[in-house]
Amino acid sequence: MIESIVAPIVAGVAGFICAFIFSGPLYFGLSKFLNLPTQEEKKNLGIRIFLNFCVFVATAFSISLILQYMSLQNKAHGQSIAFILWFGFIFTSSSIDVIWKGKHLKLWIFESISSLITIQVLMFVLLLFYK
């Protein structure tokens, strides 16, 4: 019972940290090398950070619910489920920004890779609690 509350929060924190690394230091380090567009300064940064954290916790809770309904054979099986979730939902839905909205292709690829790694981190932390 406790893991159904604690595990998603801990996983959400880990995912948030992972995404911060990708969107902050790593992005700025690679932006000139990959010729990525520069990020604009955002207003209400504190609120945006809090909402972003809430998104990661909600994602972790969703994955946690999926895990509770599945009988995983091992941790690799869980990581493959995370990949399928990423590929089937995140990767495909974010491609719309490139196809229809003219998003920079290299930026989309960078964000896709970072979201794949982040969802793998979420699943890894959840599996520490469930398996």
Side-chain angles (χ1 to χ4, degrees):
M1 175 67 176
I2 190 85
E3 68 260 354
S4 63
I5 296 170
V6 174
I9 292 172
V10 173
V13 170
F16 180 76
I17 291 168
C18 184
F20 171 78
I21 291 169
F22 274 104
S23 64
L26 192 57
Y27 182 86
F28 291 116
L30 292 175
S31 63
K32 290 183 181 179
F33 178 70
L34 296 176
N35 196 25
L36 298 173
T38 58
Q39 293 181 350
E40 300 173 13
E41 187 175 325
K42 304 287 184 189
K43 294 180 181 179
N44 302 321
L45 193 58
I47 293 170
R48 290 174 186 255
I49 289 171
F50 174 74
L51 291 174
N52 191 246
F53 172 72
C54 291
V55 166
F56 280 105
V57 172
T59 303
F61 268 106
S62 299
I63 295 172
S64 175
L65 289 173
I66 291 169
L67 286 176
Q68 291 175 20
Y69 290 110
M70 298 181 68
S71 58
L72 296 177
Q73 299 163 357
N74 53 41
K75 291 185 189 231
H77 186 220
Q79 294 301 139
S80 66
I81 297 299
F83 177 82
I84 292 167
L85 290 171
W86 170 82
F87 185 75
F89 297 101
I90 298 170
F91 180 76
T92 54
S93 63
S94 67
S95 68
I96 292 169
D97 291 340
V98 174
I99 297 168
W100 293 105
K101 298 179 183 177
K103 187 174 195 170
H104 196 273
L105 181 63
K106 288 181 184 177
L107 177 61
W108 175 72
I109 291 169
F110 175 81
E111 289 175 349
S112 294
I113 291 168
S114 68
S115 67
L116 172 61
I117 293 170
T118 301
I119 200 165
Q120 293 293 335
V121 167
L122 286 173
M123 181 62 86
F124 177 79
V125 173
L126 288 170
L127 290 172
L128 292 176
F129 286 87
Y130 289 107
K131 274 286 180 179

